[in-house]
Amino acid sequence: MAGPWDGIDEVAAVAETGSFVGAARRLDVSVSHISRAVARCEDRLQVQLFARTTRSVRVTDTGRLLVEQFQRLIAEREEAFAMIEANGAPQGALRVTCSIALGERFVAPVLRSFAQLYPSLNVELDLSNRVVDLISEGYDLAIRTGALTDTRLLRRQICTRQMTMCAAPAYLSRRGIPRTIADLDKHDCLVGSTRTWQLAVDGALQSYRPVPRWQCNSGMAITEAAIAGMGVCHLPTFYLSDALASGQLVQLLQAHHPPAEPVWAVYPQRRHLLPKVRRVVDLLAANLGNGL
């Protein structure tokens, strides 16, 4: 006999991910389980929750009203469990996504420590420069920089990241030192995955779009090109700090360096009270709080 919660999680997951496959991935069950649970729920309620075709799954008008109620029920249930378990050790699976460079250098070491603290926790860290949909792909947490627009997600600033413009002394001896932003038009620019450079002008940010002499989506490759004397780069300072300290690179247009940008821990609204999420965010903030 079906229990009172039978199908609620499955229906909400299908609605939020847009597919039975996505729902199965999020709930870590088979697609056939999702299909049977949705069918039982529809039979019990005597309504059609989803309009299905071979290519898409769409929530019906009646289904949309019920899904909203189901989501509230699930959120209240998880919050109640989280409050009861607030003093318990994090356990189960923790799925985190982050950009490659930021993840390898800063986030992965913190998550290793977190996993060692809590043996009952299984941690998955996905390093990708793709912007992952946390809800449809079943992630608990993302580490992101810059502006955030997804209203389904909560956020907490865990640190800041500074950008720096620089070039090698040999390049500057050959091509001269840019004194203004306009001077950059005369220089070879080394461009990473961000095609527009944000620079500070009279207390506000101004966008500058360089013409790339060398372009690569790897910050380390851009750093190496700058050290080799290929041109001017504008990158997060953590890529450049060693080369700046050794004199292999020299800072440029320091008056126009933008303010440090926030680095966020971002998570679905229903995750924010879970001990595993709350505690790992605390640990990230404690370890990275001095800035990158």
Side-chain angles (χ1 to χ4, degrees), residues 5 8-9 17 20 32 38 49 63 78 84 89 95 102 110 120 148 158 160 171 193 199 239 274:
W5 286 90
I8 288 179
D9 291 273
T17 63
F20 282 55
S32 60
V38 171
L49 301 175
E78 291 195 0
I84 292 171
R95 302 186 71 213
L102 192 62
V110 176
S120 297
L148 304 175
I158 56 174
T160 58
Y171 170 84
S193 55
L199 303 173
Y239 284 112
L274 298 177

Side-chain angles (χ1 to χ4, degrees), residues 5 20 24 38 45 55 64 69 173-174 198-199 232:
W5 286 90
F20 282 55
V38 171
L45 298 173
R55 294 186 177 182
R64 188 171 295 107
Q69 294 292 332
S173 296
R174 189 171 71 252
Q198 297 297 319
L199 303 173
V232 176

Side-chain angles (χ1 to χ4, degrees), residues 91-274:
Q91 56 187 308
L94 175 68
R95 302 186 71 213
V96 182
T97 179
C98 182
S99 64
I100 296 171
L102 192 62
E104 287 180 341
R105 188 170 299 201
F106 300 106
V107 176
V110 176
L111 290 187
R112 284 200 304 270
S113 298
F114 192 65
Q116 290 171 327
L117 281 173
Y118 301 107
S120 297
L121 189 70
N122 300 316
V123 178
E124 176 189 343
L125 175 59
D126 175 43
L127 298 183
S128 171
N129 292 332
R130 176 177 67 91
V131 179
V132 172
D133 187 319
L134 300 188
I135 293 175
S136 67
E137 299 185 48
Y139 282 86
D140 298 293
L141 180 68
I143 308 303
R144 292 180 177 164
T145 58
L148 304 175
T149 58
D150 194 332
T151 58
R152 302 171 302 167
L153 304 176
L154 299 178
R155 67 183 182 180
R156 174 181 167 187
Q157 183 175 327
I158 56 174
C159 61
T160 58
R161 184 181 75 168
Q162 183 63 58
M163 302 291 290
T164 298
M165 184 182 298
C166 59
Y171 170 84
L172 297 172
S173 296
R174 189 171 71 252
R175 299 290 300 274
I177 298 174
R179 304 293 182 185
T180 67
I181 295 175
D183 287 345
L184 293 173
D185 293 343
K186 307 169 188 175
H187 282 266
D188 295 334
C189 293
L190 314 175
V191 178
S193 55
T194 301
R195 291 295 305 272
T196 302
W197 295 355
Q198 297 297 319
L199 303 173
V201 178
D202 297 329
L205 287 179
Q206 176 177 304
S207 296
Y208 176 78
R209 190 173 180 87
V211 177
R213 166 77 169 84
W214 167 261
Q215 185 172 358
C216 180
N217 63 354
S218 164
M220 187 56 64
I222 295 296
T223 302
E224 291 170 352
I227 292 172
M230 289 186 65
V232 176
C233 70
H234 185 249
L235 289 171
T237 306
F238 66 77
Y239 284 112
L240 310 166
S241 54
D242 290 343
L244 289 168
S246 67
Q248 292 176 289
L249 293 174
V250 177
Q251 292 194 47
L252 303 172
L253 299 180
Q254 290 177 261
H256 295 294
H257 284 182
E261 64 179 1
V263 178
W264 306 100
V266 183
Y267 35 91
Q269 293 183 13
R270 286 176 15 208
R271 302 287 191 198
H272 75 287
L273 288 178
L274 298 177

